[in-house]
Amino acid sequence: SVYYADGFYHMYFCYRNITNYRTNSNCSYKIGYAKSRDGLNWDRDNQPLLQSSALNEWDSAMQAYPFVLNTNKKQYM
């Protein structure tokens, strides 16, 4: 999900490890964030954007395919 605000392009995306992503929650899908002035060259934050919940909670295994919705007052993912 990419949008433009405050002079920057903002990107929310999912990523995972190549192996063990189905069996190891540390390797599974996570949501990331990157920022760009021109939409071509991106500065990526190397930490997951959201922290997983406690073990066996609904989002503890993986988080994927983010979509960002901006309203006039709030931002939702």
Side-chain angles (χ1 to χ4, degrees), residues 1-70:
S1 191
V2 178
Y3 68 94
Y4 186 81
D6 303 322
F8 289 95
Y9 291 92
H10 303 269
M11 179 190 298
Y12 296 93
F13 57 92
C14 63
Y15 64 95
R16 65 170 169 82
N17 282 25
I18 293 173
T19 59
N20 300 323
Y21 63 92
R22 292 185 179 157
T23 57
N24 182 343
S25 63
N26 292 324
C27 299
S28 68
Y29 284 94
K30 307 278 188 245
I31 295 176
Y33 171 77
K35 185 162 113 171
S36 171
R37 285 206 179 271
D38 61 9
L40 299 173
N41 301 295
W42 294 88
D43 293 320
R44 180 178 172 172
D45 185 351
N46 289 323
Q47 297 297 316
L49 183 67
L50 302 173
Q51 297 300 316
S52 296
S53 295
L55 189 61
N56 296 325
E57 292 292 325
W58 70 273
D59 64 345
S60 64
M62 56 180 75
Q63 301 166 347
Y65 311 116
F67 179 78
V68 175
L69 174 65
N70 290 304

